Amino acid sequence: MKIEIWSDVACPWCYIGKRRFETALNAFPHKDSVEVQWRSYQLDPSLPEHYDGTELSYLSERKGMDPSQVAGMFAHVTEQAAGEGLNYKFDDIVVANSFNAHQLLHLAKANDKGDAVKEALLSAHFEHGVDIGAREALVKIGTEAGLSAVDINDALDTDKYADDVRHDFAEARALGVTGVPFFVIDRKFGLSGAQPAELFSQALEQAWQEANPLTMVGAGGADAEACGPDGCAI
């Protein structure tokens, strides 16, 4: 079973959704048969590489949101994150364009390090105030996950994975994705948002049952003796 997750490193609900999905996946009996693939999505592709301002000023000035409303949203999201064991620090967030972080994620995927780098980028951005638009930060995150600094710099110098990132954006549009996180199971089931772990569990089970239906053996023959709610055959 394959699960594709469209997500942005700069999306607070994407980290919360990742944790809730992982809770469901870790309890799923067929976990070892599940392939998870992180796909790229950008909430604001027009954001400059570095934005001179706080997360609050970014949302209020560029998105036109009321500052008091933003502050309330921060408090709510921080509380939800804490419920998943995450320590969000919105006052420390460095607002930056996430395109190169997505290129790093594609390099990580090619080296079987996708989940480790995704986790590190999200934690760096929301919990540690790291500038995910800075080259040195991306190299540090990538090398700590086991990637080569030479490969990271080469990928970013040449925009090696830029087309792959843009392809993910295009696929998201084709699927009708308008917000993230967005989870697609076997290209048949879609879940939008940081759903509760219980809903992820239901979706995993439903998708698995559809992909692996139970086939009755000898269904056309005579029924053998069995017990049921009303008693046992004599």
Side-chain angles (χ1 to χ4, degrees):
M1 190 160 71
K2 182 176 181 178
I3 302 175
E4 299 163 276
I5 308 173
W6 271 265
S7 168
D8 192 0
V9 178
C11 163
W13 286 111
C14 288
Y15 202 5
I16 295 170
K18 182 177 187 292
R19 277 291 182 273
R20 293 175 178 173
F21 168 73
E22 288 168 343
T23 297
L25 183 61
N26 287 333
F28 188 53
H30 311 289
K31 175 186 176 183
D32 292 342
S33 298
V34 176
E35 175 192 353
V36 177
Q37 181 179 354
W38 292 100
R39 307 296 296 269
S40 297
Y41 189 94
Q42 269 195 302
L43 294 170
D44 187 1
S46 68
L47 190 66
E49 185 173 339
H50 295 284
Y51 173 79
D52 186 19
T54 64
E55 182 81 350
L56 190 150
S57 65
Y58 162 70
L59 291 174
S60 59
E61 293 171 10
R62 286 182 65 96
K63 299 298 183 180
M65 298 177 66
D66 180 81
S68 61
Q69 180 186 1
V70 174
M73 181 191 71
F74 285 172
H76 172 66
V77 176
T78 299
E79 181 181 6
Q80 293 295 309
E84 304 302 328
L86 304 174
N87 183 25
Y88 278 15
K89 298 176 182 177
F90 279 102
D91 288 343
D92 296 338
I93 286 179
V94 178
V95 182
N97 191 295
S98 62
F99 191 88
N100 279 340
H102 285 295
Q103 288 207 78
L104 176 64
L105 283 166
H106 274 271
L107 171 65
K109 172 191 166 187
N111 289 273
D112 296 321
K113 305 287 185 183
D115 193 75
V117 171
K118 182 70 173 184
E119 176 70 23
L121 284 167
L122 287 165
S123 179
H125 184 63
F126 288 107
E127 298 183 303
H128 302 289
V130 173
D131 182 357
I132 59 166
R135 171 72 67 95
E136 58 270 23
L138 296 179
V139 171
K140 183 174 186 292
I141 288 170
T143 54
E144 288 179 351
L147 298 176
S148 159
V150 173
D151 289 344
I152 296 169
N153 281 305
D154 177 67
L156 297 179
D157 285 338
T158 63
D159 283 334
K160 182 176 181 179
Y161 294 98
D163 287 344
D164 296 304
V165 173
R166 296 188 185 100
H167 177 72
D168 279 357
F169 298 166
E171 275 211 84
R173 289 192 296 270
L175 289 170
V177 177
T178 57
V180 287
F182 195 88
F183 302 76
V184 177
I185 307 176
D186 284 340
R187 288 296 172 109
K188 292 182 180 179
F189 301 89
L191 292 92
S192 179
Q195 300 287 349
E198 295 77 14
L199 186 57
F200 284 123
S201 294
Q202 293 173 17
L204 289 170
E205 187 60 36
Q206 183 178 350
W208 182 266
Q209 292 297 335
E210 181 165 315
N212 301 274
L214 180 66
T215 301
M216 296 298 294
V217 177
D223 291 336
E225 291 80 1
C227 293
D230 299 322
C232 298
I234 299 176

